[in-house]
C-alpha cells in the first residue's frame, strides 16, 4: 500500500457505511410501531420486520465469508451496497403497495446487506488508514458514527410518524430516501475508486472442519450463545419499550372508538374533519382528525382485551427516550475504548450484566404512575428540541441499560475467542450467524407481551442478562487452547471493542 496516497474519499464512504449499518438495522424495531398500527397486527407480528432483518444474518453469515474469500473486499462491499439499495427500495415500494409481505421481503434483503457490510467495513477502514494505530483510530471513528446513527434513527422515526395509531409506512419515506441516496453515492464512488485490499490469510483447511474445531472449545460455545443472547437483549430492551410507550391506553382507545362512531354517524361532521385534514396536509405538527377504520379496529381490540394496552405516550417522545438508550451506548463505547485495556473482560461483562439486570428488574416492578423529568428529544411545534420530558421512571431505567450493553460485544468476543488460534476466522463466521438473536428474542418478547403484558415480556431480557452474568463470571473460563489442550486457573484479560451493530 502506498502510504503517501490519500484515500480520504473512500474512507468517508466506509464511515458512511459504518453508520448505515445502524441506520438500517435500528429502523427495523421502531418500524414495529408502524406495522402494528397500519396493518392492525399484534406486537409479535409487528416485530416480524425486525426478525426478517436479523434472520438474514443466519442465512448469509457463512456464505458471506465464502463470498469474501472468492471476490475480495471491494467487490463484496459493492455487492452489499447494491443489495442494500434493493432492500430499502422494496421497503419503499411496500409503502405504495400497502403490503406487509412486501415490507418483510425488503427488510430481509436489507439484512443481507447489513451482514455483508459488517464483514467488510472494519478491515477496509483499517487498511485505508494504513493499519496500526491510524487504522484502529478510523475504526473508532466509524464505530462512533455508527452509534450516532443508532441514536438518530428512532428519534427521526418517532418525529415522522407522530401519532402512533395513525402511523403508515409512507410516513418514514424521508428515512428511506436518505438510505437510498447514501447507498447510491457510496456505490458509484467505490466503483471508480482504486483502493487496496486488506490482507487476509486463506485458510488451509475446509471451512466445515474449522467450524467443527471451534465448537470443541467449551468457552467458545457458551460465548457463541452469549452473542446470540446479547444482540437480543440489545435490540429487545429499547424495541419493546417503544411499543409499550406508544400503544394506546384503554381510556385512549375508548376515546378513539367514540370519535370514530361520532364521525360515522354524522356525515357532515366527517366531511368537515376531512376538509381540515386536507387543509393542514403540509403541516408536520398537525395530526389528522379523521379516525381510520384500522385505528378503530386496533382500539377495539384493546378495549375488548384482545390486545395489550400500553401507555399512550407520543411517538416523538418515545423515539426520543429510545434515542437516549442508543446515545448512552455511544458513551459506554467511548468508556470501553478508553479503559478496556485496563479492566479485565470478565469483570467488565459480569459487572455490566449485573447492573443491567438490576435496572431491568427496577423497570419491571416500578409502577408506571411514577414519572421523572428525563432529558430526551421531543417535537415542539414541528421542531426537534432536546430538554426535560416527563416519562415513567421505568423507561429511564431501561435507557440506562444502554450503558451496560455498550461494552458487551467486545467483552464477549474477547472471552470467547481466547486461545482459538487458527479457528478464529471460523469462530467469527459463527458469531455473525448468531447475530440473528437480535430478531428472535424480541419476537419472543413481543409474543409474551401479546399473551400477558409488557412488563412480563421483560423477563426475557432478565433471563438473557442472567445468562450473560453467568458467562462473564463462570462460563468464560478457558479450559482448552488450540496450542495447548489444557489450561486451568488463568485469568483472561482482553480489551473491549465496539461492535458494528
Amino acid at each position: 500500500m502506498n502510504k503517501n496516497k490519500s484515500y480520504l474519499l473512500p474512507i468517508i464512504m466506509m464511515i458512511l457505511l459504518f453508520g448505515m449499518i445502524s441506520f438500517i438495522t435500528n429502523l427495523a424495531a421502531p418500524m414495529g410501531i408502524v406495522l402494528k398500527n397500519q396493518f392492525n397486527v399484534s406486537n409479535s407480528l409487528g416485530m416480524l420486520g425486525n426478525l426478517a432483518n436479523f434472520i438474514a444474518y443466519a442465512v448469509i453469515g457463512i456464505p458471506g465469508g465464502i463470498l469474501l474469500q472468492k471476490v475480495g473486499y471491494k467487490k463484496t462491499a459493492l455487492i452489499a451496497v447494491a443489495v442494500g439499495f434493493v432492500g430499502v427500495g422494496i421497503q419503499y415500494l411496500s409503502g405504495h403497495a400497502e403490503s406487509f409481505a412486501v415490507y418483510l421481503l425488503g427488510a430481509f434483503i436489507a439484512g443481507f446487506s447489513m451482514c455483508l457490510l459488517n464483514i467488510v467495513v472494519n478491515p477496509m477502514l483499517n487498511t485505508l488508514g494504513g493499519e496500526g494505530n491510524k487504522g484502529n483510530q478510523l475504526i473508532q471513528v466509524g464505530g462512533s458514527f455508527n452509534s450516532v446513527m443508532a441514536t438518530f434513527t428512532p428519534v427521526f422515526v418517532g418525529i415522522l410518524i407522530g401519532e402512533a395509531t395513525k402511523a403508515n409506512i409512507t410516513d418514514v419515506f424521508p428515512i428511506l430516501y436518505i438510505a437510498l441516496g447514501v447507498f447510491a453515492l457510496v456505490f458509484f464512488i467505490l466503483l471508480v475508486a482504486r483502493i487496496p485490499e486488506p490482507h487476509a490469510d486463506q485458510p488451509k483447511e475446509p471451512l466445515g472442519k474449522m467450524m467443527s474445531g471451534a465448537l470443541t472449545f467449551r468457552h467458545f460455545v457458551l460465548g457463541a450463545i452469549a452473542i446470540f443472547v446479547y444482540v437480543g437483549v440489545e435490540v429487545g430492551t429499547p424495541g419493546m419499550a417503544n411499543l409499550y410507550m406508544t400503544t394506546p391506553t384503554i381510556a385512549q382507545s375508548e376515546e378513539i372508538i367514540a370519535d370514530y362512531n361520532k364521525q360515522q354517524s354524522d356525515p357532515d361532521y366527517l366531511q368537515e374533519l376531512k376538509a381540515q385534514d386536507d387543509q393542514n396536509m403540509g403541516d408536520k405538527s398537525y395530526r389528522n382528525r379523521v379516525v381510520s377504520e384500522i385505528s378503530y379496529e386496533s382500539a377495539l381490540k384493546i378495549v375488548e382485551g384482545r390486545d395489550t394496552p400500553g401507555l399512550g405516550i407520543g411517538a416523538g417522545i418515545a423515539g426520543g427516550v429510545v434515542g437516549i438508550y442508543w446515545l448512552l451506548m455511544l458513551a459506554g463505547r467511548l468508556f470501553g475504548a478508553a479503559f478496556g485495556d485496563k479492566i479485565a473482560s470478565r469483570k467488565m461483562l459480569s459487572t455490566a450484566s449485573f447492573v443491567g439486570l438490576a435496572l431491568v428488574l427496577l423497570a419491571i416492578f416500578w409502577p408506571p404512575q411514577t414519572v421523572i423529568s428525563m432529558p430526551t428529544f421531543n417535537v415542539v411545534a414541528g421542531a426537534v428540541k432536546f430538554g426535560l420530558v416527563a416519562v415513567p421512571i421505568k423507561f429511564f431505567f431501561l435507557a440506562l441499560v444502554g450503558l451496560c450493553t455498550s461494552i458487551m460485544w467486545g467483552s464477549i468476543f474477547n472471552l470467547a475467542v481466547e486461545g482459538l488460534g487458527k479457528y478464529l476466522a471460523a469462530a467469527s463466521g459463527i458469531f455473525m450467524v448468531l447475530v440473528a438473536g437480535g430478531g428472535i428474542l424480541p419476537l419472543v418478547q413481543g409474543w409474551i407481551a401479546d399473551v400477558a403484558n409488557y412488563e412480563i415480556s421483560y423477563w426475557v431480557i432478565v433471563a438473557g442478562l442472567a445468562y450473560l452474568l453467568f458467562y462473564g463470571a463462570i462460563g468464560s473460563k478457558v479450559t482448552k487452547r488450540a496450542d495447548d489442550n489444557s489450561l486451568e486457573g488463568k485469568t483472561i484479560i482482553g480489551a473491549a471493542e465496539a461492535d458494528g451493530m
Side-chain angles (χ1 to χ4, degrees):
M1 177 177 174
N2 185 358
K3 301 281 186 182
N4 296 320
K5 186 170 182 179
S6 174
Y7 294 102
L8 178 60
L9 196 55
I11 285 172
I12 293 173
M13 295 302 102
M14 283 296 111
I15 291 174
L16 279 176
L17 288 180
F18 226 128
M20 289 303 292
I21 293 173
S22 270
F23 191 65
I24 300 300
T25 301
N26 282 26
L27 175 62
M31 276 298 292
I33 300 172
V34 178
L35 299 176
K36 176 181 177 180
N37 289 282
Q38 181 175 352
F39 300 106
N40 192 22
V41 297
S42 63
N43 288 300
S44 55
L45 290 179
M47 295 301 285
L48 275 183
N50 185 68
L51 173 67
N53 188 274
F54 275 98
I55 207 69
Y57 283 81
V59 176
I60 201 68
I62 302 301
I66 297 172
L67 175 69
L68 179 65
Q69 291 178 9
K70 287 184 177 295
V71 305
Y73 282 85
K74 179 178 175 178
K75 288 183 179 178
T76 302
L78 287 170
I79 292 170
V81 172
V83 170
F85 186 91
V86 172
V88 174
I90 292 175
Q91 292 178 57
Y92 169 77
L93 293 176
S94 74
H96 287 293
E98 297 187 347
S99 171
F100 189 38
V102 172
Y103 174 80
L104 294 181
L105 175 63
F108 184 59
I109 293 174
F112 284 166
S113 171
M114 298 307 102
C115 181
L116 291 174
L117 288 177
N118 264 302
I119 294 172
V120 301
V121 290
N122 281 288
M124 287 190 77
L125 261 183
N126 185 49
T127 300
L128 289 169
E131 302 181 338
N133 291 337
K134 180 67 173 177
N136 182 59
Q137 184 183 38
L138 283 180
I139 290 174
Q140 297 304 321
V141 171
S144 298
F145 185 62
N146 177 278
S147 294
V148 169
M149 296 307 292
T151 303
F152 169 78
T153 305
V155 176
F156 198 15
V157 172
I159 292 168
L160 291 173
I161 66 177
E163 190 175 341
T165 57
K166 299 175 182 177
N168 192 289
I169 293 175
T170 56
D171 293 336
V172 299
F173 273 4
I175 287 182
L176 303 183
Y177 293 147
I178 292 172
L180 289 171
V182 171
F183 278 138
L185 174 68
V186 172
F187 181 86
F188 287 111
I189 289 180
L190 289 184
L191 185 65
V192 300
R194 296 191 175 209
I195 55 178
E197 280 283 314
H199 173 72
D201 293 328
Q202 296 296 322
K204 297 178 181 178
E205 299 180 47
L207 182 60
K209 183 177 179 181
M210 299 294 284
M211 286 189 170
S212 298
L215 292 173
T216 63
F217 296 80
R218 173 182 173 274
H219 72 284
F220 168 71
V221 172
L222 296 177
I225 296 171
I227 285 291
F228 178 89
V229 170
Y230 156 71
V231 184
V233 168
E234 180 195 71
V235 175
T237 299
M240 197 52 57
N242 215 348
L243 284 170
Y244 185 12
M245 283 186 278
T246 55
T247 300
T249 63
I250 293 177
Q252 288 172 331
S253 299
E254 291 172 341
E255 184 178 342
I256 291 171
I257 293 170
D259 287 344
Y260 179 82
N261 289 333
K262 181 180 179 181
Q263 292 170 17
Q264 296 303 311
S265 63
D266 188 345
D268 293 335
Y269 177 61
L270 180 59
Q271 288 302 317
E272 180 184 338
L273 294 182
K274 286 181 177 179
Q276 289 182 21
D277 291 347
D278 291 341
Q279 185 178 355
N280 293 278
M281 189 176 296
D283 185 354
K284 293 296 183 184
S285 62
Y286 177 83
R287 288 298 144 197
N288 289 342
R289 299 281 306 280
V290 175
V291 178
S292 69
E293 186 175 350
I294 290 179
S295 296
Y296 164 75
E297 291 174 353
S298 297
L300 195 62
K301 285 170 65 176
I302 290 174
V303 171
E304 293 178 348
R306 293 182 287 121
D307 194 8
T308 306
L311 298 177
I313 296 172
I317 294 175
V321 171
V322 171
I324 294 298
Y325 170 92
W326 295 106
L327 186 63
L328 290 175
M329 278 200 70
L330 170 59
R333 284 172 174 171
L334 293 175
F335 172 85
F339 299 100
D341 60 340
K342 300 177 179 65
I343 304 174
S345 292
R346 290 182 67 182
K347 184 180 292 185
M348 189 177 286
L349 178 60
S350 300
T351 302
S353 301
F354 178 79
V355 173
L357 196 60
L359 288 169
V360 175
L361 287 172
L362 284 171
I364 290 173
F365 290 109
W366 214 288
Q369 293 80 11
T370 307
V371 299
I372 184 175
S373 293
M374 179 177 170
T376 185
F377 301 94
N378 191 17
V379 183
V380 180
V384 183
K385 304 223 173 194
F386 185 83
L388 296 176
V389 176
V391 296
I393 194 171
K394 60 170 67 238
F395 298 110
F396 175 68
F397 294 137
L398 292 177
L400 289 176
V401 174
L403 283 172
C404 303
T405 55
S406 63
I407 52 83
M408 287 182 176
W409 175 282
S411 299
I412 296 168
F413 185 88
N414 286 340
L415 292 170
V417 304
E418 180 70 26
L420 292 191
K422 66 179 181 179
Y423 301 109
L424 177 59
S428 298
I430 293 172
F431 276 161
M432 195 55 61
V433 170
L434 292 175
V435 169
I440 295 172
L441 289 189
L443 184 71
V444 173
Q445 196 180 353
W447 176 78
I448 293 175
D450 289 331
V451 300
N453 60 47
Y454 289 101
E455 279 93 352
I456 291 177
S457 78
Y458 271 90
W459 284 101
V460 174
I461 304 299
V462 169
L465 288 169
Y467 178 81
L468 295 177
L469 176 59
F470 154 77
Y471 182 70
I474 300 172
S476 59
K477 184 179 180 182
V478 180
T479 56
K480 174 184 175 182
R481 286 183 179 272
D483 53 358
D484 182 0
N485 288 335
S486 65
L487 178 67
E488 299 290 346
K490 293 187 180 181
T491 302
I492 307 302
I493 300 177
E497 298 176 2
D499 62 307
M501 298 304 299

